[in-house]
Amino acid sequence: MYGIGIGSLGSVLPEIILLIGGLLVLLLDMAQNSETYQKETGRGFMAITVLFLFVGLLGVLLQWNMNEHSSFDMVDIDPIGAFFKVIIYTGMLLVAVAGGGYMNRHAPVNGKAEFWSLFLFVTLAMSMAVSATNLILLFLSFEFLSITSYILAGFMRENERSSEAGLKYFLYGSVASAVMLYGMSWLYGATGSVNLREIASILVDNEASVVVLPAIMLILVGLGFKMSLAPFFQWAPDTYDGAPTPVTAYLSTASKTVGFGIALRVFLIGFGQAQAEWVPLMAGLAILTMSIGNLMALRQSSVKRMLAYSSVAQAGYILMGLAAVVSTSSIDGAQASLDDLGMNGINGILIYLFAYLFTNVGAFMVVLAVEEDTGGDHDISAYNGLMQRSPALAVAMLIFMLSLTGIPLTGGFWGKFYVFGAAIQHQYWYLAIAGFINAGIAAGYYLRVVAAMIFTAKEGQEETELAETPAMPLAIPVQLIVSICAIVTVWIGIYPPNFIDWADDASRQFLALLF
């Protein structure tokens, strides 16, 4: 059924590039004399990382342009996997460029090489995970991603909050991974296979289907942890708040993307015939996640912690796409019938994640800039008068807040439009209504940041004095990435056809192969 279009080596070309890059950084580090650990050394490792991430992204785009589906024993190389990889590689590239200088200044003197090699290795783990169709490879990639993320979250060892963030992330993650592995063992014990397609066919053909619901619930613990779904999100606020801001940026975007990428393959390939069991579960988790995330975000005075709870709520919106995914009874496998499904749930997930990437990375880079200017203050009062201190930064943050709210002419609007539309199209009215209500609640805390930037004077100053306030110094890489993120966020909002077409094509090809 599936042909090998680009060869076994080409199927993992981006991952090979990242592996070579990570090993190169370690080898160069070993060759360095301890006296040469200066600022330039960190810049060199950063340059190597950015180069290999960019080349890896080109490799992913090459796979995408070939527009073929290749199925091997353990991985699928297909347009939807390429879409997820583009999000991951782009997000990591943006974070490396904008946050690299910050990490080089704050990382331990002899730890710069370790940070950049781990940065490439964590990208490698994410890239493998979103293509895996074998439970063993999936779990190994998931664990590789988790372990490297634990280290990166607590990388600033002399900072108590960073160490606490890494420890909490590890404790929650290890338990979630163990529970997920137990669920996978149920599937293997019942089917004798670790391949998702074989598992699906065996579950349909015999009485092993009784293990489906317990296995779904156990596996969902691990995936819910990675996607920061309620009630598995408790680690997120403390980890996002305490981890270095560049690490937080990738945890809230690229790492979250991996969770949804894995969930799509596991639930639609492995449990595709059991949608009656897991769709209500996903819908309930979506409502619970967006509601808890938004209500908790309303109470936060720290912008970084508020964005952490916002990330939880955004995961609930995205999960609506999986809950409202087209069912096997809706199509007969023909491409013509797929073309009639404008909102199939999967394209909503892809559009949302793509727009969310630029919105959230941009927002956290603004947080990074304010943090550098204020000496680490994340309180909303640090944003008072930002429009006068740094108009460009304030305008960019305004765009990001409006996009997270889902205001038209921003990328976030189209993400919500497609996931809400999928819920309405499938007549999940309760899910759509919950989404609309939560979007309104979210506007309350996003617009508080806007009000502080534009209408509130900096503490200790009168509004008339703000015009004389010195401009906030901004590093050129931060200015560049924040500008790119703001421009792309608006571009998606004003002219979305290209992005929507990419998502539609990837989702339809994926569905056509399933049903």
Side-chain angles (χ1 to χ4, degrees):
M1 179 179 177
Y2 306 110
I4 300 177
I6 57 178
S8 57
L9 183 62
S11 67
V12 290
L13 176 62
E15 290 78 12
I16 291 174
I17 292 170
L18 295 179
L19 178 62
I20 293 173
L23 293 175
L24 177 61
V25 170
L26 291 178
L27 290 173
L28 291 174
D29 180 54
M30 292 173 61
Q32 295 289 332
N33 184 288
S34 60
E35 297 179 357
T36 65
Y37 276 102
Q38 304 296 330
K39 185 182 295 184
E40 290 74 15
T41 305
R43 289 175 179 172
F45 293 144
M46 173 184 167
I48 293 172
T49 300
V50 170
L51 174 62
F52 276 87
L53 284 172
F54 181 73
V55 175
L57 177 60
L58 293 180
V60 173
L61 293 174
L62 178 63
Q63 289 181 342
W64 195 348
N65 287 334
M66 299 185 77
N67 204 34
E68 295 185 20
H69 181 280
S70 302
S71 182
F72 300 92
D73 289 338
M74 304 183 82
V75 298
D76 273 8
I77 307 302
D78 51 14
I80 198 167
F83 198 108
F84 282 119
K85 289 181 184 180
V86 167
I87 295 174
I88 291 166
Y89 283 64
T90 302
M92 299 302 281
L93 190 58
L94 293 172
V95 171
V97 173
Y102 174 91
M103 292 307 306
N104 285 334
R105 289 192 300 274
H106 293 87
V109 173
N110 60 349
K112 294 180 175 64
E114 285 85 348
F115 175 83
W116 290 113
S117 62
L118 286 171
F119 199 83
L120 286 168
F121 289 147
V122 78
T123 310
L124 166 63
M126 290 188 282
S127 186
M128 290 298 298
V130 295
S131 294
T133 56
N134 179 286
L135 292 180
I136 295 176
L137 179 61
L138 193 154
F139 181 76
L140 290 176
S141 301
F142 188 91
E143 277 300 280
F144 189 13
L145 164 60
S146 297
I147 292 170
T148 47
S149 295
Y150 304 152
I151 299 172
L152 290 174
F155 200 78
M156 295 165 62
R157 294 187 290 272
E158 296 180 358
N159 186 308
E160 291 184 3
R161 294 176 65 197
S162 178
S163 299
E164 180 185 356
L167 179 60
K168 288 184 177 180
Y169 195 15
F170 165 72
L171 292 175
Y172 279 107
S174 57
V175 174
S177 296
V179 174
M180 184 175 73
L181 182 61
Y182 184 48
M184 291 178 175
S185 70
W186 272 57
L187 286 179
Y188 178 72
T191 64
S193 175
V194 292
N195 183 279
L196 289 175
R197 288 188 173 83
E198 293 179 2
I199 289 172
S201 62
I202 293 171
L203 290 178
V204 170
D205 294 338
N206 62 33
E207 295 182 357
S209 57
V210 297
V211 307
V212 169
L213 187 57
I216 285 174
M217 297 181 69
L218 292 170
I219 291 173
L220 194 55
V221 172
L223 297 182
F225 160 78
K226 190 59 64 181
M227 294 183 283
S228 63
L229 303 179
F232 316 112
F233 71 95
Q234 293 94 335
W235 63 273
D238 291 332
T239 299
Y240 284 21
D241 192 31
T245 302
V247 175
T248 301
Y250 98 74
L251 286 176
S252 68
T253 52
S255 183
K256 190 182 295 290
T257 296
V258 173
F260 284 100
I262 296 174
L264 279 180
R265 292 196 188 275
V266 169
F267 287 101
L268 292 179
I269 296 178
F271 301 130
Q273 301 297 326
Q275 286 181 255
E277 283 79 16
W278 58 260
V279 164
L281 183 61
M282 293 297 178
L285 284 178
I287 295 173
L288 182 65
T289 300
M290 68 178 81
S291 300
I292 290 180
N294 282 321
L295 292 175
M296 294 298 292
L298 281 172
R299 304 178 56 195
Q300 305 306 313
S301 59
S302 165
V303 172
K304 193 175 181 183
R305 198 171 182 85
M306 178 270 285
L307 287 174
Y309 281 110
S310 163
S311 180
V312 173
Q314 299 293 334
Y317 299 134
I318 300 170
L319 192 63
M320 289 175 63
L322 185 56
V325 71
V326 61
S327 64
T328 56
S329 61
S330 301
I331 58 176
D332 58 9
Q335 189 64 38
S337 60
L338 283 172
D339 290 338
D340 296 333
L341 295 171
M343 297 177 181
N344 54 48
I346 298 178
N347 57 2
I349 293 174
L350 300 181
I351 294 167
Y352 206 121
L353 286 171
F354 193 80
Y356 180 68
L357 166 69
F358 291 95
T359 300
N360 227 43
V361 168
F364 275 111
M365 290 307 104
V366 174
V367 170
L368 179 66
V370 174
E371 177 183 336
E372 289 276 77
D373 182 62
T374 61
D377 188 5
H378 297 140
D379 193 84
I380 194 169
S381 61
Y383 294 77
N384 291 350
L386 187 62
M387 183 63 77
Q388 285 73 27
R389 290 183 286 146
S390 180
L393 201 64
V395 169
M397 192 61 159
L398 171 62
I399 292 171
F400 301 140
M401 294 295 100
L402 294 178
S403 181
L404 289 171
T405 305
I407 300 299
L409 303 183
T410 64
F413 167 77
W414 289 107
K416 285 186 170 61
F417 179 81
Y418 267 77
V419 293
F420 288 8
I424 293 172
Q425 181 170 294
H426 291 78
Q427 298 183 0
Y428 297 151
W429 305 112
Y430 64 96
L431 190 57
I433 291 171
F436 283 118
I437 293 173
N438 274 279
I441 295 173
Y445 57 85
Y446 291 132
L447 296 181
R448 279 172 52 208
V449 180
V450 175
M453 293 189 302
I454 300 175
F455 303 113
T456 306
K458 189 177 180 181
E459 186 175 355
Q461 281 185 305
E462 298 294 334
E463 293 187 18
T464 55
E465 297 175 346
L466 284 173
E468 302 174 2
T469 303
M472 179 189 297
L474 290 176
I476 293 177
V478 175
Q479 294 182 48
L480 175 64
I481 298 306
V482 169
S483 299
I484 289 174
C485 289
I487 291 170
V488 175
T489 299
V490 174
W491 182 17
I492 297 173
I494 295 176
Y495 189 75
N498 287 340
F499 306 101
I500 292 174
D501 289 344
W502 293 342
D504 280 344
D505 180 66
S507 62
R508 287 170 180 167
Q509 290 196 45
F510 183 66
L511 288 170
L513 289 166
L514 289 178
F515 306 130

